[in-house]
Amino acid sequence: MGLDKLFQLRRYNTDVRTEIIAGVTTFMTMAYILFLNPNILSATGMDKNAVFFATAVSAGLVTLAMGLLVNYPIALAPGMGLNAYFATVAAQHVGMPWQVALGAVFISGVIFIILTISQVRQLLVVAVPDSLKRSIIVGIGLFITMLGLKMSEFMVIKAGPAIPPTLDALSRPGGIATLRFFEWNIFLGSLASPVTLLSLAGLAVTALLMAKGVKGAILLGIIITTLLGIPLGVTQVPPDFRPFALPDFNRLAVGSLDLAGALHMGLWAVIFTFTFVELFDTFGTLVGTAGKAGLLEENGQSRRLGRAMLVDACGVAFGALMGTSTVTAYIESTAGIAEGGRTGLTAVTTGVLFLLSLVLAPIAGLIPGAATAPALIIVGMLMAQAAREINFADFTEGFPAFLTMILMPFTGSIANGIAAGIVFYVLLKAASGRAREVHWLMWILAVLVVARYIFLAEH
């Protein structure tokens, strides 16, 4: 009776059993982030156990807040795409310290909270055209895929002379081919490498599970690939291994963010990227999942949608305090909704499972990069599906979207893709006599982007 009153189960024509099953389903479909996020962020020099702790705690508590404060069946966790971007800008020995990157995430969260409370966030969502929103999702998907290809050693990038693109077949002993592009030598991996072989096997297993519609296919793929890596020598199991134990609390990254370092003027582009990408990623996920659950009114709005956005914004800052990249709403929540989840009890169930998963820290430490690389490639493909919603027949819509998509992976910067998309969208609309189609806020964004590259360019 208490749960029914708290979550209004009767109003939404559901029951405790249905909600709990939905919450477990949501957890199964997104639990892969527990193993994927530590592998991605460890490239910055962060301790894998510390990232695992931050991932589980931030996902658990923020998802609980979504369920208890908003009564939405939506789960949150460190988002794919922005964790890859975080790892890129804070790459060990070549990027900014990871503490500074965490500071940038926290500041973006504070900005996000201000934008949400002031309702500027809603205005920005209206201002940016759908074609650019979709292309940002696709571009991040390609960006993630590139990371997966590198982790799997399907693609090995080494510095080289700037020469025209050529493809020299079988030019590397033991390799398949060498692609020379700009200042990179990109080697396609060899099956003689255990890492490449394991990644290929993992990709095949995960793809088959996805094709068969198995729930939790990505998570199962990671587990199976990790087990296959034991005889190959890729998965290293210590002699005193215990599968269940809490993470080492002496090496956590809680409160390790460097706000002073993040406030340096040269990092505003990084802060802008975290904020801008999260802005549209979350809005699309919240509206899409709430709509599928039948929680929106006829005008596509909901009184609780604003509260959901605020919880999400606070989650960004909270995740940075815990020691992880941007926390965001997960589209995998639709898996639980498909099972009948309609209230916050679904989210509460998922949040509790994330907190309980803290005891899986030793297992998370076993997962090799070769086991998570296939998951990145699969997730990249899922995100790339947004391309079908872009109107490429209209050049003023298609070309800015195209630039947004390709510049993210090819320049290794999500910010570059977003910037090019904004500027060319405004430019082409104005040049073709369709300036009235451009929201006034897009003009301001275009000016800010150009000013950033002129006056704040990295040298």
Side-chain angles (χ1 to χ4, degrees), residues 168-186:
D168 303 323
L170 303 176
S171 63
R172 172 171 165 254
I176 299 173
T178 302
L179 175 64
R180 297 175 182 268
F181 189 72
F182 294 124
E183 296 183 350
W184 301 338
N185 285 342
I186 303 179

Side-chain angles (χ1 to χ4, degrees), residues 355-411:
L355 294 177
L356 292 177
S357 67
L358 280 171
V359 298
L360 300 177
I363 295 177
L366 287 182
I367 310 292
T372 52
L376 289 172
I377 297 171
I378 296 289
V379 171
M381 183 281 296
L382 295 175
M383 296 179 73
Q385 294 179 29
R388 61 188 175 190
E389 300 176 34
I390 300 173
N391 182 16
F392 286 104
D394 184 343
F395 193 80
T396 64
E397 299 279 343
F399 187 66
F402 177 71
L403 287 179
T404 301
M405 291 186 291
I406 64 169
L407 287 179
M408 287 186 188
F410 287 170
T411 67

